[in-house]
Amino acid sequence: MISKRAPASPESMAKHAADTALGGQFDDLLQQARDAEHALHEAQAAGAPGTELHTLGTQLDAALTAVMRAAFAAERAEIGPRGYEDRIYRRKAMATSPVRAWSMEAQRLLTLRESHRLTGIARLPRTPAV
């Protein structure tokens, strides 16, 4: 006799609900990151001082981090609640088109954030120790 699969645990359902909620904020967070990037580019074009560029650069870094986390959460939410417990189910789901799209977007945002961290945040001059 073939038994039915056990339903997802309450912990998995809670994680899935949290990831679904965070993934639902992706579009708003992406717009915030675009706005932060636009503000940084405008300040660079206007010749803003280093402290302002540093502040805008760190704001863009925070916005990119938030949107990247939302993309990874949307990827996990697309897999479903069983993906938190069953590695085979998760691997099979990773091969579907919607999950692959979220994976590629999350990896693109991760690369963009790391590139920005390496080259996009203006360094502040060191102050001498007293």
Side-chain angles (χ1 to χ4, degrees):
M1 176 185 238
I2 298 176
S3 61
K4 289 181 108 178
R5 290 184 178 151
S9 69
E11 294 85 19
S12 294
M13 296 299 283
K15 288 179 183 178
H16 182 258
D19 283 341
T20 302
L22 182 56
Q25 298 174 0
F26 177 80
D27 292 331
D28 294 334
L29 293 171
L30 183 61
Q31 186 58 46
Q32 289 175 9
R34 286 179 178 153
D35 293 342
E37 182 180 24
H38 183 66
L40 177 62
H41 288 306
E42 281 186 350
Q44 288 171 338
T51 55
E52 184 180 345
L53 292 176
H54 179 77
T55 302
L56 291 171
T58 54
Q59 287 173 357
L60 177 57
D61 179 62
L64 287 172
T65 300
V67 73
M68 178 202 61
R69 287 182 178 158
F72 278 114
E75 174 190 29
R76 291 188 302 269
E78 190 68 40
I79 291 172
R82 284 187 49 214
Y84 296 97
E85 301 170 342
D86 187 349
R87 68 180 180 83
I88 295 172
Y89 180 85
R90 183 174 50 250
R91 286 295 290 171
K92 285 183 177 182
M94 291 289 284
T96 63
S97 296
V99 176
R100 286 186 53 83
W102 279 115
S103 296
M104 290 189 320
E105 182 66 16
Q107 290 298 323
R108 183 187 71 80
L109 289 166
L110 176 64
T111 303
L112 185 63
R113 184 191 72 165
E114 294 304 317
S115 174
H116 173 68
R117 282 186 173 177
L118 290 172
T119 60
I121 300 175
R123 296 195 183 268
L124 295 176
R126 291 188 175 204
T127 56
V130 185

